Amino acid sequence: IKGRNWAWSVTFNSGYAEKVGAFRDLINVLGSSNDDPKALLAEQRQIYDAATKKRLELSEDLTQANNSLDNAQREYEKIKNEYATQKVPLLDDAKFRWSKLSSLQRFSLYVIGPLPVCICFLSPLAILTGHLVKDKALMIVMFGIVYLIALFYAYFNKFRSC
């Protein structure tokens, strides 16, 4: 390997010929440069210092963003808990929820909603008066109870997720 005012020689196994050749070319390119090494080092140090400063700024920005996110999540949880524990009269809550439904959902509730509820409340009366056979009435009552449980679950599940 030759450079200005110097030469270097080393012996390697032929298996390393390609790697040694690439290393030789790199040394020759850098050795034949007319640039001042101290100026190149100063330039690289400035680039390094600028990158370090930028990394610190971004790290501080990330910390501030994480703190803001944590504060927002705590505020959201606080407001959600206040809403969940708020005592809203059942009728007002039902009116509010009704106003948020689409027309298709309202129609579905008109058609499907009152029928099972009426069955659930009227079937014990029908059993007591003897108008229904107890076997069929028991199935109707069970259906009404399951339906009411599903309604209450949907209502309170929706209430907690708001």
Side-chain angles (χ1 to χ4, degrees):
I1 300 173
K2 295 180 184 179
R4 285 186 313 209
N5 301 326
W6 65 275
W8 179 57
S9 177
V10 69
T11 306
F12 280 100
N13 187 348
S14 63
Y16 295 102
E18 186 176 312
K19 292 180 182 179
V20 171
F23 181 65
R24 180 201 61 217
D25 294 343
L26 180 64
I27 290 175
N28 282 333
V29 166
L30 293 177
S32 63
S33 174
N34 291 330
D35 295 337
D36 181 24
K38 291 181 182 178
L40 288 173
L41 181 62
E43 180 183 338
Q44 290 298 316
R45 186 163 304 282
Q46 287 176 349
I47 293 171
Y48 172 78
D49 291 342
T52 302
K53 182 180 176 184
K54 185 67 173 176
R55 183 185 58 83
L56 289 175
E57 290 173 1
L58 291 174
S59 177
E60 290 172 3
D61 290 346
L62 180 62
T63 302
Q64 289 176 355
N66 283 336
N67 289 339
S68 296
L69 178 63
D70 290 341
N71 290 338
Q73 285 175 337
R74 280 193 295 274
E75 186 67 23
Y76 169 76
E77 288 299 323
K78 178 183 167 189
I79 291 171
K80 182 180 174 185
N81 289 337
E82 286 176 3
Y83 175 76
T85 59
Q86 183 71 28
K87 301 294 184 192
V88 178
L90 184 61
L91 186 59
D92 291 340
D93 186 51
K95 286 179 184 178
F96 173 74
R97 289 176 186 275
W98 188 258
S99 69
K100 296 297 180 185
L101 294 176
S102 69
S103 58
L104 179 63
Q105 290 171 328
R106 287 181 186 180
F107 176 75
S108 299
L109 287 175
Y110 278 135
V111 173
I112 299 170
L115 180 63
V117 172
C118 288
I119 289 172
C120 182
F121 287 121
L122 295 179
S123 60
L125 292 175
I127 292 171
L128 291 175
T129 59
H131 287 92
L132 283 178
V133 179
K134 290 192 178 199
D135 293 338
K136 292 180 182 176
L138 182 61
M139 289 176 49
I140 293 172
V141 170
M142 292 301 289
F143 171 75
I145 290 171
V146 169
Y147 181 78
L148 280 178
I149 290 171
L151 279 180
F152 281 117
Y153 175 76
Y155 176 78
F156 286 112
N157 192 30
K158 184 76 171 176
F159 181 73
R160 277 188 251 123
S161 67
C162 288

